[in-house]
Amino acid sequence: MSLVRFAVGQQVVLEPFADLVDERFQGWLEAKTKSGRKFTEEQVRWLTEIKDHVASSLSIEMEDFDEVPFSQRGGRIKIFQLFGDELSNVLTELNEVLVA
């Protein structure tokens, strides 16, 4: 992904996509914290795994929670328990922010 963006002039510096995703993720977490949103440690672990998935797959979808590593931690049921009604918005935001 980074190579394509570099080639078409969208990025001035060629850097690994995973590094860019990590940087954006950290910024997103900080912005959420500043706005008053607090995540539990378990939620942060899941969010970090979601970030890692996006870095390798370019997006996260509900079906991805049926696969490893998510399925080993409870899959869709667990993610719904952790994020509830907020889940759809969190996934949409992460897909937009991390890959933008």
Side-chain angles (χ1 to χ4, degrees):
M1 181 60 113
S2 292
L3 184 59
V4 172
R5 289 180 176 180
F6 180 75
V8 298
Q10 288 182 338
Q11 278 181 230
V12 178
V13 177
L14 182 59
E15 65 179 308
F17 185 64
D19 291 349
L20 182 60
V21 168
D22 190 54
E23 185 178 304
R24 290 176 177 170
F25 178 70
Q26 293 306 320
W28 180 81
L29 276 178
E30 288 174 19
K32 288 295 183 184
T33 300
K34 286 180 182 175
S35 73
R37 175 59 167 102
K38 305 243 189 258
F39 294 107
T40 66
E41 286 183 37
E42 189 171 17
Q43 286 175 321
V44 172
R45 279 193 298 273
W46 275 78
L47 290 169
T48 301
E49 288 194 14
I50 290 169
K51 180 256 311 175
D52 292 342
H53 180 84
V54 171
S56 65
S57 302
L58 302 179
S59 70
I60 185 78
E61 305 298 332
M62 283 306 299
E63 296 79 33
D64 296 322
F65 295 107
D66 297 331
E67 306 296 327
V68 173
F70 305 110
S71 62
Q72 296 171 324
R73 295 184 182 264
R76 290 183 196 217
I77 293 170
K78 186 63 177 181
I79 194 98
F80 274 121
Q81 288 173 346
L82 289 172
F83 292 95
D85 294 339
E86 199 177 24
L87 179 60
S88 179
N89 289 337
V90 167
L91 295 180
T92 299
E93 280 184 37
L94 288 174
N95 277 320
E96 290 172 0
V97 169
L98 301 180
V99 182

